[in-house]
Amino acid sequence: MKKITVPVLNILLAAGVVLILAGLLLISRFYGGFGAELPAGSIATMIFGAVIFYVAMTLVHWAIFFFLGLLVFCIGLCMTFVFSGVMPIGPEHLWPIGVLLCGVCLLLTCVFKHRKIRGVYLFPTLLIEVLGAVFLLFSLNIIKISFSAFMSKWGPLVLILAGGTLVGVFFWQRNFNDFFPYDKDELSGLTDEDEKTFYGE
């Protein structure tokens, strides 16, 4: 099979992104009702995110562009689904969903940049996902008490647990640095002197 040239691949990517956008907008129409007006702001957000994503994939290849494009696109999609009635939640629940999307996009950016999941991205992603899930539980009133009341009662314990986890990661890294939390190839560009500094030797 003849290899596809880069311009043709870019056209295929653009066509794919446009088709995905069209399909998602049709879903909003089908479930929200054809008489309902789709919110222009959320559609513009989706398109803007798709453009940034396309630029990241074809022109600049910067991880930050990939992350922002994907995140803005997903937030615009959620806004469209919420305002058209596809997602049965209110606009006030969008911010914890945005936090969850931030974690997912960070992990996908890691895969885009390194072609695998690396520890240096995995830990912030897990932390963001846990925070987003907790915020969503409060936002949807699954946890019946208010967030401020919860934090006033359990906040100190949460801080102690979070701090203890970070201290534990530090000591584990010093004692078992061949396995956790960094891959060996993450340090492959370091000189012997840099590695001594990194490990505190």
Side-chain angles (χ1 to χ4, degrees):
M1 183 178 175
K2 189 178 178 182
K3 190 173 181 180
I4 301 174
T5 61
V6 172
V8 174
L9 282 174
N10 291 347
I11 291 170
L12 289 176
L13 178 63
V17 170
V18 169
L19 288 174
I20 289 170
L21 277 169
L24 292 170
L25 291 175
L26 280 175
I27 288 173
S28 298
R29 274 294 195 202
F30 287 144
Y31 288 95
F34 284 97
E37 222 177 281
L38 290 177
S42 57
I43 293 172
T45 303
M46 278 177 65
I47 293 171
F48 182 63
V51 169
I52 297 174
F53 176 80
Y54 179 80
V55 168
M57 294 299 292
T58 58
L59 298 174
V60 295
H61 305 290
W62 292 351
I64 187 67
F65 271 47
F66 182 90
F67 173 77
L68 289 175
L70 205 56
L71 181 60
V72 170
F73 174 81
C74 291
I75 289 173
L77 175 63
C78 281
M79 289 168 60
T80 303
F81 280 0
V82 166
F83 292 130
S84 63
V86 176
M87 292 174 69
I89 58 174
E92 67 275 9
H93 302 126
L94 277 172
W95 71 270
I97 293 174
V99 174
L100 289 169
L101 288 173
C102 192
V104 171
C105 291
L106 182 62
L107 200 61
L108 291 174
T109 302
C110 172
V111 175
F112 166 74
K113 185 176 179 183
H114 301 287
R115 304 292 186 265
K116 66 176 184 175
I117 296 174
R118 305 185 84 163
V120 72
Y121 284 83
L122 185 59
F123 286 99
T125 298
L126 291 175
L127 180 62
I128 291 169
E129 290 300 300
V130 168
L131 286 174
V134 170
F135 293 151
L136 190 61
L137 290 174
F138 282 103
S139 181
L140 295 174
N141 289 323
I142 294 171
I143 297 176
K144 298 300 182 184
I145 64 172
S146 69
F147 183 72
S148 58
F150 174 83
M151 286 307 292
S152 65
K153 186 174 182 180
W154 298 101
L157 181 60
V158 170
L159 291 175
I160 291 168
L161 288 174
T165 302
L166 294 176
V167 171
V169 167
F170 171 79
F171 282 111
W172 186 287
Q173 170 61 28
R174 286 180 64 91
N175 295 320
F176 303 102
N177 53 35
D178 288 339
F179 307 105
F180 179 85
Y182 301 101
D183 295 331
K184 283 184 177 181
D185 64 339
E186 291 187 36
L187 304 173
S188 59
L190 299 180
T191 63
D192 291 339
E193 194 61 39
D194 290 334
E195 285 195 32
K196 286 179 181 177
T197 305
F198 182 85
Y199 290 125
E201 296 173 0

Short mmCIF file of all heavy atoms in Angstrom, two decimals, residues 49-74:
data_model
loop_
_atom_site.label_atom_id
_atom_site.label_comp_id
_atom_site.label_asym_id
_atom_site.label_seq_id
_atom_site.Cartn_x
_atom_site.Cartn_y
_atom_site.Cartn_z
N GLY A 49 -11.71 24.77 20.47
CA GLY A 49 -10.90 23.67 20.99
C GLY A 49 -10.46 22.73 19.88
O GLY A 49 -9.31 22.27 19.86
N ALA A 50 -11.37 22.44 18.93
CA ALA A 50 -11.02 21.56 17.81
C ALA A 50 -9.93 22.17 16.94
O ALA A 50 -9.03 21.46 16.47
CB ALA A 50 -12.27 21.27 16.97
N VAL A 51 -9.97 23.49 16.74
CA VAL A 51 -8.95 24.17 15.94
C VAL A 51 -7.58 24.09 16.64
O VAL A 51 -6.56 23.78 16.01
CB VAL A 51 -9.35 25.64 15.67
CG1 VAL A 51 -8.18 26.43 15.09
CG2 VAL A 51 -10.55 25.70 14.74
N ILE A 52 -7.56 24.35 17.95
CA ILE A 52 -6.29 24.25 18.70
C ILE A 52 -5.75 22.82 18.64
O ILE A 52 -4.55 22.60 18.45
CB ILE A 52 -6.49 24.69 20.16
CG1 ILE A 52 -6.90 26.16 20.24
CG2 ILE A 52 -5.20 24.49 20.97
CD1 ILE A 52 -7.24 26.63 21.63
N PHE A 53 -6.63 21.84 18.79
CA PHE A 53 -6.24 20.44 18.71
C PHE A 53 -5.63 20.13 17.34
O PHE A 53 -4.59 19.47 17.24
CB PHE A 53 -7.46 19.55 18.97
CG PHE A 53 -7.20 18.08 18.82
CD1 PHE A 53 -6.59 17.36 19.83
CD2 PHE A 53 -7.57 17.41 17.66
CE1 PHE A 53 -6.34 16.01 19.69
CE2 PHE A 53 -7.34 16.06 17.51
CZ PHE A 53 -6.72 15.35 18.53
N TYR A 54 -6.27 20.61 16.28
CA TYR A 54 -5.77 20.38 14.92
C TYR A 54 -4.39 21.01 14.73
O TYR A 54 -3.49 20.39 14.15
CB TYR A 54 -6.76 20.94 13.90
CG TYR A 54 -6.30 20.76 12.47
CD1 TYR A 54 -6.46 19.55 11.82
CD2 TYR A 54 -5.70 21.81 11.77
CE1 TYR A 54 -6.04 19.37 10.52
CE2 TYR A 54 -5.26 21.64 10.48
CZ TYR A 54 -5.44 20.42 9.85
OH TYR A 54 -5.00 20.25 8.57
N VAL A 55 -4.22 22.23 15.25
CA VAL A 55 -2.92 22.90 15.15
C VAL A 55 -1.85 22.10 15.90
O VAL A 55 -0.72 21.93 15.41
CB VAL A 55 -3.02 24.35 15.69
CG1 VAL A 55 -1.64 24.97 15.88
CG2 VAL A 55 -3.86 25.20 14.77
N ALA A 56 -2.20 21.57 17.07
CA ALA A 56 -1.24 20.78 17.85
C ALA A 56 -0.84 19.50 17.13
O ALA A 56 0.31 19.07 17.21
CB ALA A 56 -1.84 20.44 19.22
N MET A 57 -1.77 18.90 16.41
CA MET A 57 -1.48 17.64 15.73
C MET A 57 -0.73 17.83 14.41
O MET A 57 0.00 16.94 13.99
CB MET A 57 -2.80 16.89 15.46
CG MET A 57 -3.51 16.42 16.71
SD MET A 57 -2.56 15.27 17.73
CE MET A 57 -2.53 13.84 16.67
N THR A 58 -0.90 18.99 13.78
CA THR A 58 -0.36 19.14 12.42
C THR A 58 0.77 20.16 12.29
O THR A 58 1.63 20.00 11.44
CB THR A 58 -1.48 19.54 11.45
OG1 THR A 58 -2.08 20.76 11.90
CG2 THR A 58 -2.53 18.46 11.34
N LEU A 59 0.77 21.21 13.12
CA LEU A 59 1.72 22.30 12.91
C LEU A 59 2.78 22.40 14.00
O LEU A 59 3.97 22.28 13.73
CB LEU A 59 0.96 23.63 12.78
CG LEU A 59 -0.01 23.73 11.59
CD1 LEU A 59 -0.80 25.02 11.65
CD2 LEU A 59 0.75 23.62 10.27
N VAL A 60 2.38 22.64 15.23
CA VAL A 60 3.37 22.96 16.27
C VAL A 60 3.79 21.75 17.11
O VAL A 60 4.89 21.73 17.65
CB VAL A 60 2.86 24.09 17.19
CG1 VAL A 60 2.71 25.38 16.43
CG2 VAL A 60 1.55 23.70 17.86
N HIS A 61 2.93 20.75 17.25
CA HIS A 61 3.22 19.54 18.03
C HIS A 61 3.62 19.84 19.47
O HIS A 61 4.44 19.14 20.05
CB HIS A 61 4.32 18.71 17.35
CG HIS A 61 4.01 18.37 15.94
ND1 HIS A 61 3.03 17.47 15.59
CD2 HIS A 61 4.54 18.81 14.77
CE1 HIS A 61 2.97 17.37 14.28
NE2 HIS A 61 3.87 18.18 13.76
N TRP A 62 3.04 20.90 20.05
CA TRP A 62 3.32 21.24 21.44
C TRP A 62 2.30 20.55 22.33
O TRP A 62 1.10 20.57 22.06
CB TRP A 62 3.25 22.74 21.67
CG TRP A 62 4.36 23.51 21.01
CD1 TRP A 62 5.46 23.01 20.40
CD2 TRP A 62 4.44 24.94 20.90
NE1 TRP A 62 6.25 24.03 19.91
CE2 TRP A 62 5.65 25.22 20.21
CE3 TRP A 62 3.64 25.98 21.31
CZ2 TRP A 62 6.06 26.51 19.93
CZ3 TRP A 62 4.04 27.27 21.04
CH2 TRP A 62 5.23 27.54 20.37
N ALA A 63 2.78 19.97 23.42
CA ALA A 63 1.89 19.27 24.35
C ALA A 63 0.87 20.22 24.96
O ALA A 63 -0.29 19.83 25.17
CB ALA A 63 2.71 18.59 25.44
N ILE A 64 1.27 21.46 25.25
CA ILE A 64 0.33 22.42 25.86
C ILE A 64 -0.81 22.74 24.92
O ILE A 64 -1.96 22.89 25.35
CB ILE A 64 1.08 23.71 26.32
CG1 ILE A 64 0.15 24.63 27.11
CG2 ILE A 64 1.67 24.46 25.12
CD1 ILE A 64 -0.29 24.09 28.43
N PHE A 65 -0.55 22.81 23.61
CA PHE A 65 -1.61 23.04 22.63
C PHE A 65 -2.55 21.84 22.59
O PHE A 65 -3.77 22.00 22.50
CB PHE A 65 -1.02 23.31 21.24
CG PHE A 65 -0.73 24.75 20.97
CD1 PHE A 65 -0.06 25.53 21.90
CD2 PHE A 65 -1.12 25.35 19.79
CE1 PHE A 65 0.21 26.86 21.66
CE2 PHE A 65 -0.86 26.68 19.53
CZ PHE A 65 -0.19 27.44 20.47
N PHE A 66 -1.97 20.64 22.62
CA PHE A 66 -2.79 19.42 22.63
C PHE A 66 -3.70 19.41 23.85
O PHE A 66 -4.90 19.16 23.74
CB PHE A 66 -1.87 18.20 22.62
CG PHE A 66 -2.60 16.89 22.59
CD1 PHE A 66 -2.91 16.29 21.39
CD2 PHE A 66 -2.95 16.25 23.78
CE1 PHE A 66 -3.59 15.07 21.36
CE2 PHE A 66 -3.62 15.04 23.75
CZ PHE A 66 -3.94 14.45 22.55
N PHE A 67 -3.12 19.69 25.01
CA PHE A 67 -3.89 19.69 26.27
C PHE A 67 -5.01 20.72 26.23
O PHE A 67 -6.18 20.42 26.52
CB PHE A 67 -2.95 19.96 27.44
CG PHE A 67 -3.65 20.15 28.75
CD1 PHE A 67 -4.15 19.07 29.46
CD2 PHE A 67 -3.83 21.43 29.28
CE1 PHE A 67 -4.80 19.25 30.67
CE2 PHE A 67 -4.48 21.61 30.48
CZ PHE A 67 -4.98 20.52 31.18
N LEU A 68 -4.67 21.97 25.86
CA LEU A 68 -5.67 23.04 25.85
C LEU A 68 -6.75 22.78 24.82
O LEU A 68 -7.94 22.99 25.08
CB LEU A 68 -5.00 24.39 25.58
CG LEU A 68 -4.14 24.95 26.73
CD1 LEU A 68 -3.44 26.22 26.29
CD2 LEU A 68 -5.00 25.20 27.96
N GLY A 69 -6.35 22.32 23.63
CA GLY A 69 -7.34 22.04 22.59
C GLY A 69 -8.32 20.98 23.02
O GLY A 69 -9.54 21.14 22.87
N LEU A 70 -7.81 19.89 23.58
CA LEU A 70 -8.66 18.79 24.03
C LEU A 70 -9.57 19.23 25.18
O LEU A 70 -10.77 18.94 25.18
CB LEU A 70 -7.77 17.63 24.46
CG LEU A 70 -8.35 16.22 24.43
CD1 LEU A 70 -8.88 15.89 23.06
CD2 LEU A 70 -7.30 15.22 24.86
N LEU A 71 -9.00 19.98 26.14
CA LEU A 71 -9.77 20.42 27.29
C LEU A 71 -10.87 21.40 26.89
O LEU A 71 -12.03 21.25 27.30
CB LEU A 71 -8.84 21.06 28.33
CG LEU A 71 -9.50 21.56 29.62
CD1 LEU A 71 -10.17 20.41 30.35
CD2 LEU A 71 -8.49 22.24 30.51
N VAL A 72 -10.53 22.39 26.06
CA VAL A 72 -11.53 23.38 25.63
C VAL A 72 -12.62 22.70 24.82
O VAL A 72 -13.82 22.99 24.98
CB VAL A 72 -10.85 24.51 24.82
CG1 VAL A 72 -11.88 25.41 24.16
CG2 VAL A 72 -9.93 25.33 25.73
N PHE A 73 -12.24 21.76 23.94
CA PHE A 73 -13.23 21.02 23.15
C PHE A 73 -14.19 20.25 24.06
O PHE A 73 -15.40 20.30 23.89
CB PHE A 73 -12.53 20.07 22.18
CG PHE A 73 -13.47 19.17 21.43
CD1 PHE A 73 -14.14 19.64 20.32
CD2 PHE A 73 -13.69 17.87 21.85
CE1 PHE A 73 -15.03 18.82 19.62
CE2 PHE A 73 -14.58 17.05 21.17
CZ PHE A 73 -15.24 17.52 20.05
N CYS A 74 -13.63 19.52 25.03
CA CYS A 74 -14.46 18.70 25.93
C CYS A 74 -15.37 19.56 26.80
O CYS A 74 -16.53 19.21 27.04
CB CYS A 74 -13.58 17.82 26.81
SG CYS A 74 -12.74 16.50 25.91
#
